[in-house]
Each structure stands twice: as C-alpha cells, then as structure tokens.
Amino acid sequence: MNLAIKNLPTESKVLEINQFISGYWENDIWDAEDPIFDNFRKASWGKTHRKMNFTVFSPRLKIEVKYFIINRIQNDDLQLYSAVHNYCRSFKQLAKFLNRYYPDISSFIELDIDRALMQLRTYLSEQGLSIRIYGRRKLSNYENLLNRLFLFYQKYYDTRSEFEKDIWDVRNIPGAKYADYVSNHKLNFKDIPGPFLDLAKRYLKFRISHLSLGQCSLDLRLIKLFMTFIHKRYPLWSDLKALNRRDIEDYLVWHNQELHDKTPSKRYYIIALRVFLENIEKLQFDEAPDLPVSVLLFKEDFPRKATKTENDIKYIPEGVLQQIEERLEYLTPTRFIPVVILLRATGWRISDILNLRYDRCLERTAQGWYLSGDIKKTQVLNHRVPITDEVALIVQTLLETIEVQSNQSNNPKKYLFVQLEGVRKGRPYNYYDICRSLNSFTKTQNITDDQGNIFHLKNHAFRHTKGVELLNNGMNILHVQKWMAHASPEMTLKYAKILDTTMRKSWEEATKQGIFRIDGNNKKPIKIELEDIENEDMIEWEYIRHNLDAVKMELGYCMKPIKQPCPTQANPCLSCRNFCTTPEFIPQYEMEIRETKAVIEKGKMLGRQVWVDKNQATLDRLEPILDSLMEGKTHHMAGKKGREYVGKERSHGR
C-alpha cells in the first residue's frame, strides 16, 4: 500500500507556492487565449474550449491544483492543450469526489492514494460516467489526474536527501550512471522487509556510485527476493549474522520454485546474491554473516550457463531483411526510420545510436564519411565506423534540422534523436517505443520468415546481422572486432554466423591460386599444389584412418589401432592413489582440458565416437581435479599423512 507521508508540507514550501500564485494566477478562471500563455500555445485550436475553471475545488486544494498546472506547463512537462482538454475537463467530478470523501484535507499529500483511487473508480461508476482507460496502469483521465497530483506533491514536499527516501530517483544522485533513453530512473525499496531496509539502502548507496542503474536494479530485485525469504523464515532477524548453509540450500529450493524454468534469471540472481554477501563482508557491515561466503555458497549452486549453438544466434535472415528494407517507409512514427537505418548501417547497439550528438556524430575524411559516437558498454569514446554517402546524407539532413530546433532548454546535451517537448524533453527517444513500433511494423506489413510466420524483430538483431554480414563479406575478424567495439575476438565470434556457402567460397578463393607456406631455410613463400598436401607433416583430422584412435595425451596424441590394447593410453596417473598435484599446476590443467575438449569436438564433427568416449573419460578425470585445485586444495588420494610426517612424527624422528 502506498501510504501517505503525513505533515510533509513545510512552511517554506507552502510559502513558495503562495508567492508564485499571484497576479494573473490568482484568478480562478484562466483563459488559454490570454497573452500570458503565448509562449506555451503550440498552434491554433479552432473553436474549442479554452477555459480552465478552478472554482470547483476547495480553497485549500485550489492553490495546489493551480500550481501543479502552471508549473508543469512552464517546465514543458505538460502541453497547454492537454491541460485544457484532458485535465481541466476532469476538474468538476474530481472536486465533487474530494468534497464527499475527503472534505477535511488541505493537501493532496494527505491522501492514501491507493485507497483513494479505488474509491474514485467506484464513485465514477456510481455516477454512470463512461470511463476511458489510458496507459499501462489503466487509469481513467480522472484517476490519472488525481494520481499525478499526489505524486507531484509527494516529490515537491519531500526535502529529504535521496538516500533517506524509500524510492530513489537516480537522476538526483551525483555520479549515478543511467541512460537518458529509458523511462524508469527509480530504485524502489518499499517491498523490502523493514528490518533489512537500512542494509539494502547502504548496499545500494555503495553500488550506485560505480555501477549502472540496470545492475543496481538487478541487485535490488535480488535483495527483495532474498530478504523476503529470510524474513518469513526468521521474523525476528534484523541482520544475517546467523545465516548458514542450510538456509542457503532452502532458499535455493524456494528460489527455483519462484523462477520456475527461467534459468538465465536464476543464474543472474544467484551471482548477485554471492556478490551481495561478499561485498557486505568486505565492507564489514555489522549485518554480514559470521560464516564466510565460500562456506555459504558453492560453485555447484549456480545453474549451468546454456551453451549457444550457431542456430541460437539472433540475426535477421536475408529474406526478412529484404522485406524490411523494401517497406521501411511505412514504419510509424516516421521519426524512428533514421534510427533503424543507422542500426542497419552500423551494427551498433540502439543505446549507442540514441546517444549520438548532432555536433560531433558525422565526420568527413579523405576516405569518406564516418559515423562517430561513444560506445558506453565497452567505454570506447569517439568510436568511428564508415558509412555510405546515402546514409551520411540522411544523417546530415537530420542533424541540420535538429540543430536549428535545439536550444539549451529543450536539448542541452545535443542529442541527434531527441524529444524536444513534453515529459521527455531533452532526452532521446524511448528505447521500448522503438521496439514496439518495429514489431507493429512487421505485423502490419506482414513481414514473415521462411516458414511464413510474422518475424519478431528485436533491436539487437541488427547488431548480430551486421556481424554476420561483415564476416561473410571477408572482413578480418580483428577488423570486425574493432568495428563492433568488442572487448575480445571471442565476443565477435559469438555474434558472427559464418554460413557454409560463405566458408566454401572463401576456401575456394584462398586455394584457387594454390597454397603457400614459408620455407624454413630461406624464409621465402613456396607454392604448394592441393594434391601435394597429403605429403606434408601436418595432422588433417578429416582423414585420420577409421581404425585408429585419436586420444589426447600429455605430450601428444595416441594414434594406435583401436583394437590394440594399451595400459597407459587412458592416463592412469590421474586416478592413481600415488599421484599428487597442487594449485601451481592449474595453468597446465586448464590447457589440457581445452585441448581435450577440442579433440572431443573434432570427434563429434567427424562421427568418431571412439575418440569422443575415450577423451571424455580423460576429461571426466581432469575437471574434478582442476575444481579441487581452484579451491586451493592439493589433490592426493593418499592424503597428507600418506606423504608427510605429521603430528608427533615430526618431533620423534624419521
């Protein structure tokens, strides 16, 4: 329940409102055609209602309604037309409702807003009024106005620091990292059990100073989930000092029930839980568990991350892409069309496209046009990619238009894709609005995949598609990595899907003039004809004889006949009681595991099950040993006593 905070209106805030509502604003009827509104009137309205009548409200609420209206109009949070044609038409019924149910209140902040909204809906139904529902919260115009009045004054009268509040607006926190293009900038602590509220706030205060709003929102969701479980289990707890492994095990069972089959979410939440416990331990919070985190959470508690295959990569098939390009002119609203064109041309994330600045996003060099911007995720500043003359012309036209329309008030950060008026004034387009428009576009334009199904288009799909396109057109993977501003080549490989036909064509192009190698003596290239490759000293896995094993050994590969027995092939040392290894050998084990997995994959690809089975047996021995070493333990079945003098033996001679 959204309980009202009593006695928040301070004398200074009330005086501020009273001093503002003077002169023309003291009138109880405002005329939208009066010259005082000239700077806020966007266009002629024709023969429509233009008056705002405040006489219906009680004197104590009237002044708050007036200030709410004119303050939001002057700050461009509310259009004058909307104020007259939406809000003011609701005044009469809203005032009647308040006079009946809340005749004694002197401020909207005194309302229990959730209860008041339910009462208002019942009242409207009793009056036989036709209620039109708007927005995600499904509020009528009357309910929307009452809710906005309450929220406006809840914020206006609350002079506490952001960290004292139960709902933080990160825009009011110096140094907080958030994206202008998203609509939600709040961190809501209201659902956290009371005994743990202070702990949650102190932890998020630490996190918001160096992490993004998105990560902090995940942290907060995890804390709500975990603290809800703990509070139900131990209602008298106000800290986590007594937390033990049994509590964690029971929480994980409950956690799985809550999230069902959402494996990625389960994994993210458990990682967030580990980080939370580790951080409050390092920061020496009084509420931190007495037991170390390594005793509370084990590696086995984390759901395995699903391995993506080629077919899991989300790119736009060529046929769908062609349909999109042919019908893009029908995308609505049309202001999103240039965004899609740049997504397609660059392969950048939509967040980076929406972050473009009109004063520095387009560059011309001797080589041609470049789009320039900051890639926030990998912190690459002034990142440039080449674009065609046609795309450059679109950007040039757009930035010239925006530059003329922009000023310090409506576009202080000089965004290329900006909302110049309304509640989002000075901020980029809404990410989710673009996503919804794209999927409405594919549906209305009947854009289908190969199976005839309407294609569900995600903004990030353009990025995958560009990666595929660049690699398939023969661009070096390191160049693609630089284009995409990836932190590593492995990230680029995950995005790129090299088609079989492209691979074949690339191979043919590379070999049609013969293959070259460097001669070891004179360091000069020597041409090798394809038919001569069989004579070279190289292992070609595709041509290993079917009667041979291919088992990875410590110093090479065993290529014995399958039917020939060998007591040492399966690397018996790994299971020998006398074999001892310590964490200093971790790098060797990691390399052995990588190479053994590579042979297993080769076996699967070539259909050699014998290779797969035997190498898997080796892998099954290597991995548990590595896990033990990673925990800082020594692997030795005989144990310390089996290899060393211990206890009294050390002092009684050897």
Side-chain angles (χ1 to χ4, degrees):
M1 180 176 288
N2 198 350
L3 296 177
I5 302 174
K6 303 296 183 183
N7 302 320
L8 268 178
T10 61
E11 289 186 11
S12 61
K13 285 291 187 178
V14 172
L15 180 61
E16 184 178 287
I17 295 176
N18 289 332
Q19 289 176 340
F20 184 89
I21 303 299
S22 60
Y24 182 86
W25 311 126
E26 290 183 276
N27 298 324
D28 287 345
I29 298 178
W30 298 351
D31 188 343
E33 291 296 325
D34 191 280
I36 200 169
F37 290 107
D38 284 351
N39 292 332
F40 309 109
R41 204 178 303 109
K42 304 296 182 182
S44 176
W45 296 349
K47 297 180 180 179
T48 56
H49 181 72
R50 304 182 185 89
K51 300 292 178 67
M52 290 179 270
N53 189 340
F54 299 92
T55 58
V56 292
F57 290 101
S58 67
R60 289 169 294 184
L61 296 182
K62 183 192 305 179
I63 194 169
E64 283 194 344
V65 178
K66 285 182 179 182
Y67 184 74
F68 165 79
I69 294 291
I70 193 57
N71 177 277
R72 297 191 69 219
I73 289 175
Q74 290 182 342
N75 288 319
D76 210 13
D77 292 334
L78 176 65
Q79 298 300 305
L80 180 60
Y81 183 92
S82 297
V84 174
H85 289 270
N86 292 330
Y87 286 178
C88 294
R89 289 183 174 182
S90 304
F91 281 179
K92 185 176 181 180
Q93 291 298 336
L94 180 59
K96 285 184 176 180
F97 164 77
L98 292 170
N99 290 334
R100 175 188 294 186
Y101 289 94
Y102 299 97
D104 298 324
I105 64 170
S106 58
S107 171
F108 286 97
I109 198 63
E110 296 177 36
L111 295 171
D112 175 345
I113 190 60
D114 290 335
R115 182 168 178 265
L117 288 173
M118 288 190 290
Q119 289 175 319
L120 177 57
R121 178 162 292 195
T122 302
Y123 167 81
L124 294 171
S125 178
E126 291 173 351
Q127 299 303 309
L129 293 173
S130 175
I131 301 175
R132 297 180 64 186
I133 303 300
Y134 300 91
R136 292 184 183 178
R137 292 197 62 185
K138 297 183 178 179
L139 299 179
S140 67
N141 271 349
Y142 306 99
E143 296 163 288
N144 184 51
L145 175 58
L146 181 61
N147 189 52
R148 286 187 178 275
L149 280 161
F150 173 82
L151 294 176
F152 178 86
Y153 283 106
Q154 184 184 55
K155 180 178 180 181
Y156 180 77
Y157 288 132
D158 195 344
T159 58
R160 295 174 298 169
S161 75
E162 211 63 32
F163 296 123
E164 292 180 276
K165 300 175 184 177
D166 289 344
I167 299 178
W168 296 355
D169 186 333
V170 297
R171 292 171 295 184
N172 299 329
I173 299 176
K177 298 179 180 179
Y178 60 90
D180 276 345
Y181 63 83
V182 299
S183 296
N184 182 27
H185 299 96
K186 304 293 179 64
L187 289 174
N188 189 336
F189 295 84
K190 287 194 170 184
D191 293 332
I192 293 179
F196 299 106
L197 183 59
D198 182 62
L199 169 62
K201 286 184 177 181
R202 279 185 289 126
Y203 178 66
L204 266 298
K205 183 178 180 180
F206 161 71
R207 298 281 279 177
I208 198 66
S209 64
H210 60 281
L211 293 173
S212 69
L213 172 61
Q215 179 60 55
C216 291
S217 297
L218 174 62
D219 290 339
L220 189 54
R221 290 197 299 272
L222 171 276
I223 291 173
K224 287 179 182 178
L225 198 67
F226 184 64
M227 295 308 184
T228 298
F229 171 81
I230 293 297
H231 186 60
K232 288 181 179 178
R233 189 178 180 92
Y234 303 110
L236 299 180
W237 277 19
S238 58
D239 56 49
L240 301 174
K241 287 180 176 293
L243 191 69
N244 59 45
R245 173 62 189 174
R246 179 64 180 272
D247 296 324
I248 295 293
E249 289 175 352
D250 291 344
Y251 168 72
L252 292 175
V253 173
W254 180 79
H255 177 264
N256 284 332
Q257 293 172 344
E258 289 291 306
L259 297 180
H260 302 294
D261 57 348
K262 299 176 183 176
T263 301
S265 296
K266 292 178 189 177
R267 181 177 175 82
Y268 295 146
Y269 278 32
I270 297 174
I271 291 173
L273 174 60
R274 180 184 65 188
V275 172
F276 168 66
L277 294 175
E278 287 176 344
N279 276 324
I280 64 174
E281 181 181 68
K282 291 175 185 175
L283 294 168
Q284 298 183 350
F285 280 19
D286 292 337
E287 299 91 340
D290 290 335
L291 292 175
V293 179
S294 59
V295 175
L296 296 172
L297 268 170
F298 299 161
K299 178 183 176 182
E300 292 76 15
D301 296 331
F302 296 83
R304 286 183 175 270
K305 191 174 182 179
T307 303
K308 289 187 176 181
T309 66
E310 266 193 2
N311 294 326
D312 292 326
I313 304 302
K314 304 301 182 185
Y315 75 109
I316 306 171
E318 187 175 344
V320 173
L321 197 59
Q322 184 176 352
Q323 295 175 65
I324 292 172
E325 291 173 347
E326 288 174 351
R327 305 173 197 173
L328 187 57
E329 62 183 297
Y330 300 109
L331 175 67
T332 55
T334 55
R335 67 177 184 273
F336 292 160
I337 293 177
V339 177
V340 176
I341 290 173
L342 290 184
L343 287 172
R344 173 75 183 97
T346 65
W348 286 7
R349 299 172 186 87
I350 190 170
S351 57
D352 298 320
I353 295 294
L354 294 178
N355 193 47
L356 289 170
R357 314 302 168 102
Y358 69 73
D359 60 332
R360 54 185 174 88
C361 69
L362 191 62
E363 296 182 20
R364 178 68 185 266
T365 70
Q367 290 76 35
W369 290 101
Y370 287 84
L371 191 74
S372 177
D374 298 336
I375 309 300
K376 287 196 170 185
K377 185 172 183 179
T378 49
Q379 294 298 300
V380 179
L381 303 181
N382 299 316
H383 182 57
R384 299 193 318 167
V385 295
I387 55 176
T388 64
D389 291 345
E390 293 80 7
V391 173
L393 179 60
I394 292 171
V395 177
Q396 181 74 39
T397 304
L398 183 63
L399 68 84
E400 288 175 355
T401 303
I402 292 298
E403 186 172 13
V404 171
Q405 297 175 343
S406 296
N407 54 50
Q408 190 59 32
S409 173
N410 63 17
N411 192 8
K413 296 184 179 180
K414 300 183 178 180
Y415 287 118
L416 179 64
F417 299 106
V418 66
Q419 199 78 35
L420 293 173
E421 57 186 28
V423 294
R424 293 185 61 84
K425 183 180 70 172
R427 293 164 56 194
Y429 301 158
N430 189 312
Y431 169 98
Y432 297 103
D433 286 345
I434 297 174
C435 189
R436 284 190 289 269
S437 293
L438 281 172
N439 283 294
S440 175
F441 163 71
T442 59
K443 186 175 181 179
T444 56
Q445 294 300 313
N446 195 35
I447 293 175
T448 58
D449 58 21
D450 292 340
Q451 286 73 44
N453 301 316
I454 297 296
F455 189 79
H456 183 70
L457 191 61
K458 295 183 178 179
N459 296 330
H460 208 68
F462 288 101
R463 184 165 175 80
H464 292 274
T465 304
K466 194 65 179 181
V468 172
E469 180 182 87
L470 294 175
L471 278 177
N472 286 343
N473 286 339
M475 182 179 281
N476 182 290
I477 189 170
L478 293 179
H479 293 167
V480 177
Q481 176 190 350
K482 183 177 180 181
W483 180 300
M484 309 293 275
H486 282 155
S488 67
E490 289 78 13
M491 193 177 296
T492 308
L493 282 173
K494 288 181 180 179
Y495 275 14
K497 177 185 176 68
I498 304 178
L499 305 178
D500 292 340
T501 53
T502 304
M503 191 182 298
R504 179 73 187 183
K505 182 179 179 182
S506 177
W507 178 81
E508 289 174 350
E509 287 294 320
T511 59
K512 66 182 179 182
Q513 300 299 327
I515 297 177
F516 293 82
R517 68 171 172 81
I518 301 299
D519 183 86
N521 298 320
N522 55 28
K523 307 300 181 184
K524 293 183 178 179
I526 299 176
K527 184 176 180 180
I528 306 171
E529 298 300 334
L530 294 180
E531 59 269 19
D532 293 334
I533 291 180
E534 62 190 35
N535 298 320
E536 292 294 322
D537 292 330
M538 62 178 69
I539 295 178
E540 295 183 81
W541 294 97
E542 292 84 352
Y543 299 103
I544 299 294
R545 298 182 183 278
H546 280 76
N547 66 326
L548 297 182
D549 274 349
V551 177
K552 175 72 176 66
M553 306 291 286
E554 184 177 0
L555 300 176
Y557 301 96
C558 175
M559 293 290 182
K560 74 171 185 61
I562 292 174
K563 295 183 180 180
Q564 178 182 322
C566 176
T568 62
Q569 187 192 45
N571 206 348
C573 288
L574 295 176
S575 57
C576 177
R577 173 179 173 80
N578 300 313
F579 177 64
C580 178
T581 185
T582 62
E584 65 185 286
F585 290 93
I586 287 176
Q588 291 92 319
Y589 273 86
E590 290 177 333
M591 182 178 294
E592 281 291 318
I593 287 173
R594 283 197 300 271
E595 293 180 354
T596 303
K597 286 181 177 179
V599 178
I600 291 172
E601 290 304 312
K602 289 183 179 114
K604 290 179 179 178
M605 183 176 65
L606 299 172
R608 303 293 186 87
Q609 191 59 40
V610 174
W611 299 7
V612 175
D613 293 342
K614 292 192 175 182
N615 284 286
Q616 186 63 51
T618 301
L619 185 64
D620 290 343
R621 289 173 179 164
L622 287 168
E623 288 184 325
I625 295 175
L626 177 60
D627 289 343
S628 180
L629 299 183
M630 293 293 284
E631 294 176 2
K633 299 177 181 178
T634 294
H635 172 81
H636 188 191
M637 291 186 183
K640 191 174 184 69
K641 191 173 181 179
R643 67 176 182 268
E644 302 170 23
Y645 291 109
V646 297
K648 294 180 179 180
E649 292 178 304
R650 294 188 177 184
S651 58
H652 286 83
R654 290 171 276 181

